Amino acid sequence: MEPTLSPDLLRRIHAYWRAANFLSVGQIFLYDNALLKEPLTLAHVKPMLLGHWGTTPGQNFIYVHLNRVIRKYDLNMIYISGPGHGGPAVVANTYLEGTYSEVYPNIGRDEAGLKKLFTQFSFPGGIPSHAAPETPGSIHEGGELGYSLSHSFGAVFDNPNLIVACVVGDGEAETGPLATSWHSNKFLNPVTDGAVLPILHLNGYKISNPTVLARISREELEQFLRGCGWTPYFVEGHEPNLMHEAMAAALDKAVEQIRQITHEARARGATVRPRWPMIVLNSPKGWTGPTVVDGQQIEGTFRSHQVPLSISAQKPEHLSLLENWLKSYRPEELFDSSGRLLPELAELAPIGERRMGANPNANGGILLRDLILPDFRQYALKVASPGVGGPGDTHVLGRFLRDVVKLNASERNFRIFGPDETLSNGLESVFEATNRQWVAETRQGDEFLAHSGQVMEMLSEHQCEGWLEGYLLTGRHGLFNCYEAFIHIVDSMFNQHAKWLKVTATLPWRREIASLNYLLASHVWRQDHNGFTHQDPGFIDHVVNKKASIVRVYLPPDANCLLSTMDHCLRSRHYVNVVIAGKHPAPQWLSIDAAVEHCTKGIGVWQWASNEYDVEPDVVMGCAGDVPTLEILAAVSILRQHLPDLKIRVINVVDLMKLQPKLEHPHGLSDADFDSLFTTHKPVIFAFHAYPWLIHRLTYRRTNHHNIHVRGYKEEGTITTAFDMTVLNEMDRFHLVMDVIDRVPQTGSKGLHLKRQLQDKLIEHRQYINRHGQDMPEIRNWQWGNLTPLDLTHTD
Ligand SMILES: Cc1ncc(C[n+]2csc(CCOP(=O)(O)OP(=O)(O)O)c2C)c(N)n1
């Protein structure tokens, strides 16, 4: 059979690979003498040797072969480095193709540039050892393993001309997120989406262990991958020339198959789920590196994972091992005397934006276009007076999101992701405009499934998060809709994305991307039938650890505030926005105009609920979150009826970051503004959606902090009534009133009397729900403005 590579091309591909390997070893070790023009000495070697060699030669091998198919088939392709510690490989290759020096002109394509390229790697003030925001062509932070395939699929949804070549580490493949992401192929529509070419890098080892996939039989591995819906092509061995030919042949086959699948699907309109190709590259870890060091086998073992030589005065023999290793690539045949890659090799790289380091999809902000947003005011609930009933805040939002989908249908740049919670979280209206994208089998009776749709649902929070990140990073918009308790599953993914945003914000060549928006419904206070397992409002504690310039937390108290907040989030850039909202019928407080004003300020006195007017209040009642707001207002109504002389100020917080000092967060109130709201010396009773400590954390520097008493979720929960959840956590209206009485002595004997009556009320509540299985009528039917005094006689 005719070989895929001509002898000349094979020679040049091998030389290009050697060049990339040389640059990789140079980055890990060299401080100077980049072209080895002088004999290597200790002074030429970095004092601290950091980085990962093991994965790097395999990734260099993959990259040069991808360059060949990009040129041959004119592919629009980006590269995702799953075992991303192979940073030296991605940096070396983007340098060889020229993009590195275009992005960083300071690192030129000459000997001086090579020295800087080498020195900066894993060096103070330099670049990290893995594929990172600083790496041109990367949308994937390679530090925390597991997300490469999800990111890749996110990148190609609604991106029909893009192919992502995704290198999956065989160790990475053991992570939960990666294991689930093989199934992304059941969600990819070849008509409207691009394609992902997974390349499982089976180099056999992790840090100091073998990998599972390398220690099962070839048959089992093949069956596993086929069972996940892929057609694997194996490229196995270590002899470079044979491996180049095998890789080239496998890649041609894979690319042609991808083109055929998409071509046929688009010509005929796809009807069956395609079986996409993938590659398994079984090559030695640390390939071409030192074979044996200090009597131990290095190449092809876990011992090559990091830096295989420890160069020091104590180990002079390692220095010559390094010199021989570097010279084995014969740099004098690859670079001219000025340090420039020879033209016959340079021309193997694609040109312009076809270079993977320069592909605009890897700097998605360049491609980002604004969403077309309907006027959210059109979806507002009519709130003639505070306290009217609403159908559940997320249901109202769903109508707005439905029209966001509709208005952007032709652009196809907005998707909603979630672990099968779009309906459950109250966004059912969205399905009037679109479907859940699904290319696996469908059966009669299935709902809202179609080959093409803007809702992505798989029961894996990791997968949803990874898909959404990939979608955003390539210049589109989206929303993650999730139960509040289970969003913790992606705590760490959120971390990485927030870090990515922080670093990219400082890189002038990176453009801003759309914000990562979380809608957390089905929240802690309304888990009546799910109980304790579903009660955890702690995600925001985690979120606020991240850089203030990146994170925003919103707690809209009603539907109109939710509409205003979400409109703002969908317009914003380069943030992580967390929005917590209820889905159950709930009272509404603000007209849409008032909601816009309130959300614009982010915090404010609700004058209509307060009675302090132009005097200083005796007590401030603060609230953040829909249920806390309800309980605070119910408490205020008890206080105003039974202790009418008490001057009360009600403050609602939508934008949690308003509580932090201005120095800590760009949204933070100045101390003067905070003091004017919360006073400098009056008691503040604060009902909070989440764990109480967060309010203390945010306000501990404020003048009146020692007077702020917070009620929130205290990890008390079970299957019980909605109101009882607040009672169990002592955030209910009765406890809140008692808190006021305890802290405002001037309520006197009247206050103490009321307190005793409320204690009885709590007993009555407990007895009632235990007997009737629902809350007392006065709780269920309570309305703001219903100023008949609370019935304080025992009724049962
Ligand atoms: C989620 C996560 N857990 C652990 C690590 C620590 N770690 C770094 S590299 C590595 C081994 C990776 O093995 P593999 O994916 O096969 O990559 P390669 O062998 O190509 O280096 C581990 C466990 C990590 N980076 N991320």
Side-chain angles (χ1 to χ4, degrees):
M1 220 173 65
E2 188 72 356
T4 311
L5 300 176
S6 68
D8 179 59
L9 189 54
L10 172 61
R11 178 186 64 79
R12 288 191 293 143
I13 283 182
H14 186 58
Y16 198 99
W17 182 43
R18 279 163 32 219
N21 285 338
F22 177 79
L23 296 188
S24 302
V25 183
Q27 287 177 76
I28 297 172
F29 288 96
L30 292 188
Y31 181 69
D32 207 348
N33 193 13
L35 286 172
L36 300 179
K37 286 183 176 167
E38 301 166 37
L40 200 63
T41 67
L42 276 182
H44 298 142
V45 178
K46 297 184 197 183
M48 277 207 311
L49 297 174
L50 304 165
H52 293 74
W53 164 244
T55 186
T56 298
Q59 294 204 47
N60 284 333
F61 182 83
I62 292 167
Y63 206 101
V64 62
H65 280 275
L66 292 172
N67 278 347
R68 185 188 68 84
V69 287
I70 291 171
R71 288 187 65 112
K72 176 170 176 184
Y73 298 98
D74 188 26
L75 302 179
N76 177 17
M77 180 177 269
I78 61 171
Y79 180 86
I80 286 190
S81 170
H85 287 293
V90 196
V91 171
N93 277 286
T94 49
Y95 179 81
L96 288 175
E97 73 192 17
T99 45
Y100 208 90
S101 304
E102 285 166 25
V103 172
Y104 302 108
N106 180 40
I107 297 186
R109 302 175 83 183
D110 54 19
E111 191 172 356
L114 278 177
K115 179 195 155 20
K116 287 184 199 154
L117 185 82
F118 291 175
T119 307
Q120 65 164 1
F121 177 81
S122 272
F123 202 79
I127 60 166
S129 70
H130 46 261
E134 292 88 345
T135 318
S138 178
I139 59 163
H140 178 78
E141 175 85 61
E144 187 170 296
L145 305 173
Y147 316 130
S148 59
L149 259 188
S150 300
H151 281 168
S152 302
F153 274 88
V156 302
F157 290 136
D158 294 325
N159 214 344
N161 299 319
L162 183 67
I163 300 179
V164 177
C166 175
V167 182
V168 177
D170 50 352
E172 184 197 13
E174 293 173 17
T175 64
L178 197 292
T180 207
S181 61
W182 294 115
H183 291 305
S184 298
N185 54 13
K186 283 74 182 187
F187 298 84
L188 188 87
N189 178 355
V191 178
T192 47
D193 302 327
V196 174
L197 175 62
I199 302 168
L200 176 63
H201 191 199
L202 198 70
N203 61 13
Y205 295 93
K206 302 184 286 263
I207 296 178
S208 60
N209 260 292
T211 62
V212 172
L213 294 185
R215 297 296 176 93
I216 57 177
S217 70
R218 160 80 183 271
E219 187 192 10
E220 270 186 314
L221 177 59
E222 183 164 354
Q223 285 175 348
F224 169 72
L225 297 170
R226 284 189 184 279
C228 290
W230 299 92
T231 300
Y233 294 112
F234 285 79
V235 177
E236 300 169 285
H238 60 89
E239 207 290 299
N241 280 355
L242 296 179
M243 288 295 277
H244 285 306
E245 174 55 31
M247 185 67 174
L251 268 179
D252 276 7
K253 216 181 305 176
V255 169
E256 282 164 22
Q257 219 166 315
I258 287 171
R259 283 156 64 100
Q260 190 185 345
I261 290 169
T262 46
H263 176 75
E264 280 178 13
R266 287 169 201 181
R268 297 193 197 142
T271 49
V272 285
R273 172 167 64 88
R275 180 173 276 282
W276 295 93
M278 65 168 288
I279 287 175
V280 180
L281 174 64
N282 181 346
S283 61
K285 190 155 182 168
W287 200 6
T288 74
T291 320
V292 175
V293 178
D294 297 338
Q296 285 194 307
Q297 179 71 27
I298 302 296
E299 187 187 19
T301 76
F302 65 83
R303 292 194 180 84
S304 65
H305 181 69
Q306 292 184 355
V307 182
L309 301 173
S310 48
I311 319 265
S312 65
Q314 289 72 42
K315 294 227 174 193
E317 68 280 14
H318 280 208
L319 188 65
S320 51
L321 282 176
L322 174 62
E323 189 165 25
N324 293 341
W325 178 12
L326 284 161
K327 285 189 168 165
S328 72
Y329 299 121
R330 303 194 299 281
E332 67 287 357
E333 295 175 13
L334 310 171
F335 302 93
D336 67 18
S337 58
S338 75
R340 205 176 170 88
L341 186 67
L342 296 185
E344 65 159 5
L345 303 184
E347 68 191 24
L348 291 182
I351 294 167
E353 291 188 350
R354 286 297 194 233
R355 292 172 298 172
M356 292 192 282
N359 190 309
N361 283 283
N363 188 1
I366 292 177
L367 304 173
L368 183 65
R369 302 191 48 185
D370 286 351
L371 277 178
I372 305 167
L373 291 174
D375 180 358
F376 64 91
R377 293 169 186 80
Q378 287 168 12
Y379 305 85
L381 290 182
K382 205 165 155 32
V383 180
S385 62
V388 301
D393 299 348
T394 56
H395 297 269
V396 178
L397 179 72
R399 297 171 206 149
F400 170 69
L401 292 176
R402 170 198 63 204
D403 292 348
V404 175
V405 171
K406 268 190 199 162
L407 286 173
N408 297 281
S410 59
E411 284 287 321
R412 293 188 71 101
N413 61 352
F414 175 68
R415 280 186 184 256
I416 297 171
F417 299 78
D420 189 9
E421 285 162 10
T422 309
L423 280 180
S424 173
N425 275 343
L427 303 180
E428 62 284 338
S429 299
V430 165
F431 292 121
E432 293 166 26
T434 191
N435 283 301
R436 301 151 164 152
Q437 185 158 311
W438 173 267
V439 297
E441 187 188 318
T442 51
R443 300 210 174 140
Q444 212 176 5
D446 289 341
E447 276 191 330
F448 312 128
L449 295 184
H451 277 196
S452 177
Q454 298 306 103
V455 175
M456 305 299 298
E457 294 197 323
M458 177 166 161
L459 209 176
S460 162
E461 283 76 5
H462 289 123
Q463 178 87 298
C464 295
E465 170 87 14
W467 282 346
L468 172 56
E469 288 177 5
Y471 199 69
L472 299 174
L473 287 160
T474 45
R476 283 76 65 69
H477 305 259
L479 178 68
F480 189 163
N481 154 52
C482 191
Y483 283 7
E484 185 183 39
F486 303 140
I487 195 67
H488 270 305
I489 291 169
V490 301
D491 276 5
S492 205
M493 295 182 79
F494 150 79
N495 276 346
Q496 299 302 328
H497 190 76
K499 286 173 189 290
W500 178 277
L501 293 178
K502 173 184 181 276
V503 178
T504 51
T506 64
L507 300 172
W509 60 275
R510 288 266 185 200
R511 297 285 177 275
E512 287 192 328
I513 60 170
S515 299
L516 169 52
N517 298 309
Y518 293 99
L519 174 66
L520 305 184
S522 304
H523 63 55
V524 55
W525 297 108
R526 293 289 185 262
Q527 287 293 345
D528 319 359
H529 70 289
N530 285 315
F532 200 36
T533 55
H534 286 51
Q535 291 156 357
D536 192 312
F539 185 61
I540 55 179
D541 292 84
H542 178 67
V543 164
V544 301
N545 291 334
K546 286 287 161 286
K547 209 66 198 167
S549 53
I550 301 296
V551 295
R552 309 284 184 266
V553 177
Y554 298 103
L555 294 144
D558 68 5
N560 288 343
C561 290
L562 175 59
L563 284 168
S564 174
T565 301
M566 191 54 76
D567 176 79
H568 171 78
C569 293
L570 292 178
R571 288 172 196 279
S572 71
R573 296 282 182 274
H574 232 66
Y575 297 151
V576 176
N577 296 307
V578 183
V579 181
I580 301 174
K583 64 178 179 182
H584 293 291
Q588 303 296 306
W589 311 110
L590 302 184
S591 70
I592 191 66
D593 288 340
V596 172
E597 189 187 329
H598 183 50
C599 292
T600 306
K601 287 190 202 145
I603 185 171
V605 175
W606 280 5
Q607 208 60 65
W608 52 266
S610 313
N611 67 350
E612 31 103 30
Y613 304 105
D614 46 8
V615 293
E616 187 160 60
D618 300 313
V619 62
V620 175
M621 305 289 276
C623 48
D626 59 347
V627 170
T629 301
L630 167 62
E631 290 307 310
I632 279 285
L633 289 173
V636 167
S637 70
I638 296 171
L639 287 165
R640 285 182 54 182
Q641 286 178 38
H642 294 272
L643 302 171
D645 296 337
L646 197 69
K647 297 293 171 218
I648 304 168
R649 174 180 295 170
V650 177
I651 294 178
N652 182 270
V653 183
V654 183
D655 175 352
L656 199 60
M657 297 299 117
K658 288 282 170 194
L659 297 179
Q660 274 198 308
K662 211 172 178 46
L663 278 176
E664 299 291 331
H665 195 283
H667 287 191
L669 289 179
S670 69
D671 281 339
D673 286 346
F674 189 93
D675 291 350
S676 79
L677 283 174
F678 289 95
T679 79
T680 52
H681 59 291
K682 297 292 182 182
V684 177
I685 308 297
F686 199 112
F688 180 45
H689 172 83
Y691 294 100
W693 290 113
L694 182 52
I695 297 297
H696 290 298
R697 228 174 116 184
L698 298 176
T699 60
Y700 81 99
R701 286 192 185 164
R702 301 296 193 176
T703 319
N704 201 24
H705 176 241
H706 64 287
N707 272 322
I708 299 181
H709 307 284
V710 188
R711 294 289 181 183
Y713 184 64
K714 298 199 292 191
E715 207 59 20
E716 288 295 336
T718 178
I719 293 173
T720 188
T721 66
F723 180 66
D724 193 45
M725 272 300 296
T726 64
V727 174
L728 290 175
N729 289 283
E730 301 183 332
M731 196 194 71
D732 61 281
R733 57 201 68 181
F734 304 137
H735 277 100
L736 292 170
V737 171
M738 292 192 285
D739 282 342
V740 172
I741 293 166
D742 286 347
R743 290 179 173 89
V744 185
Q746 60 267 43
T747 55
S749 58
K750 247 174 126 183
L752 291 177
H753 182 61
L754 177 60
K755 186 175 169 186
R756 279 193 295 277
Q757 289 174 309
L758 295 180
Q759 283 163 339
D760 290 345
K761 249 304 160 228
L762 285 167
I763 297 168
E764 183 188 342
H765 153 77
R766 175 82 35 229
Q767 287 173 341
Y768 188 95
I769 64 163
N770 285 347
R771 185 166 310 155
H772 300 284
Q774 63 175 344
D775 286 319
M776 297 186 295
E778 68 193 78
I779 301 291
R780 280 183 278 133
N781 302 329
W782 178 84
Q783 279 193 334
W784 173 257
N786 178 0
L787 289 183
T788 49
L790 191 66
D791 180 1
L792 293 173
T793 56
H794 198 60
T795 50
D796 212 15

